[in-house]
Amino acid sequence: HSADGQSHGLTGRPRAPARANAVNAVGRPVPRGPWPCAMSNVALLLKRRPAVGDLAAALVYGKIDDTADAPVAVVVHYCALNDADIHLAEATMVVPVSAVPSATHAVVPGIDVCGQRADTGKFVVGIKPCVKQSRGTWAARVHMRDAWLAPLPDHLTAAEGAACGTAAAAAAACLRAAAPLLAGGGARAVVVGASGGVGTLLTALLAREHGAHVIAVCSARSAP
């Protein structure tokens, strides 16, 4: 849901306009860029490593210095929560790649983001690499590289753009790998975990863009 309570297209309900709310992650109006680097920033912070299932209780809200760890400032409209964020915070990834939070070294979680470039005002979606990352996307403003950003498509809301980041990248990688099998259309494909972010996008793209017959597999409670 957007800041004004409107539902969005991915839910199948009436959607809010993509550019309806010029507010940032904490509901404040978005000023025109460029942003001065000295402006304070606010974020959701981890100051300790949460136990499994304890992420929400471990998060605190506070100010962070706005040190630029990448050249492009993005004013955040929406950020996303996905499984990777939880596993990184709890250090339950197969390979430990996340930064270690502590009382003296707060970590900002988050990978996916949608917002406005501070230099141009254009809406973008982005994925911030998470390897040893202590400044993620759960903040009012994040710093990104151009290679981590893409324009927000006109038919998507900002909320949908944030929701599609990592999932869309994973779905695109699957489609590139399967391209020889999909050539010519009419392929048959099985998508396991079709109710998740990656699976939802794969099912739609395989059917609509590649003309494939898709068999979607998910748990009974996630079935339509």
Side-chain angles (χ1 to χ4, degrees):
H1 286 69
S2 66
D4 61 2
Q6 294 295 311
S7 297
H8 295 278
L10 288 181
T11 66
R13 299 169 185 158
R15 60 191 291 159
R19 311 294 189 265
N21 299 300
V23 295
N24 64 15
V26 291
R28 300 192 179 99
V30 177
R32 299 290 182 182
W35 281 64
C37 291
M39 289 187 69
S40 63
N41 196 358
V42 291
L44 285 173
L45 306 170
L46 282 175
K47 294 187 176 182
R48 63 177 175 86
R49 178 74 77 192
V52 175
D54 189 43
L55 175 57
L59 289 167
V60 296
Y61 181 76
K63 289 186 177 182
I64 57 174
D65 67 87
D66 202 39
T67 303
D69 56 349
V72 181
V74 175
V75 180
V76 176
H77 284 238
Y78 288 89
C79 51
L81 169 65
N82 56 47
D83 284 347
D85 295 316
I86 298 172
H87 288 305
L88 286 166
E90 296 174 349
T92 51
M93 301 286 280
V94 176
V95 179
V97 296
S98 56
V100 179
S102 68
T104 58
H105 181 74
V107 171
V108 181
I111 302 171
D112 298 326
V113 69
C114 183
Q116 288 178 282
R117 291 181 62 123
D119 53 357
T120 66
K122 293 182 178 180
F123 277 77
V124 289
V125 293
I127 302 173
K128 191 157 190 179
C130 57
V131 177
K132 298 300 181 184
Q133 177 61 256
S134 60
R135 286 296 178 88
T137 61
W138 295 1
R141 186 168 58 258
V142 298
H143 295 275
M144 308 285 282
R145 297 187 183 278
D146 281 311
W148 304 343
L149 298 169
L152 175 67
D154 288 336
H155 65 282
L156 292 182
T157 65
E160 290 167 348
C164 288
T166 302
C174 292
L175 291 174
R176 283 195 297 269
L181 302 175
L182 299 172
R188 296 175 67 87
V190 177
V191 177
V192 179
S195 62
V198 179
T200 299
L201 291 169
L202 266 180
T203 299
L205 291 170
L206 283 166
R208 297 175 186 175
E209 304 299 326
H210 295 277
H213 175 80
V214 183
I215 301 169
V217 179
C218 64
S219 65
R221 64 183 176 85
S222 299

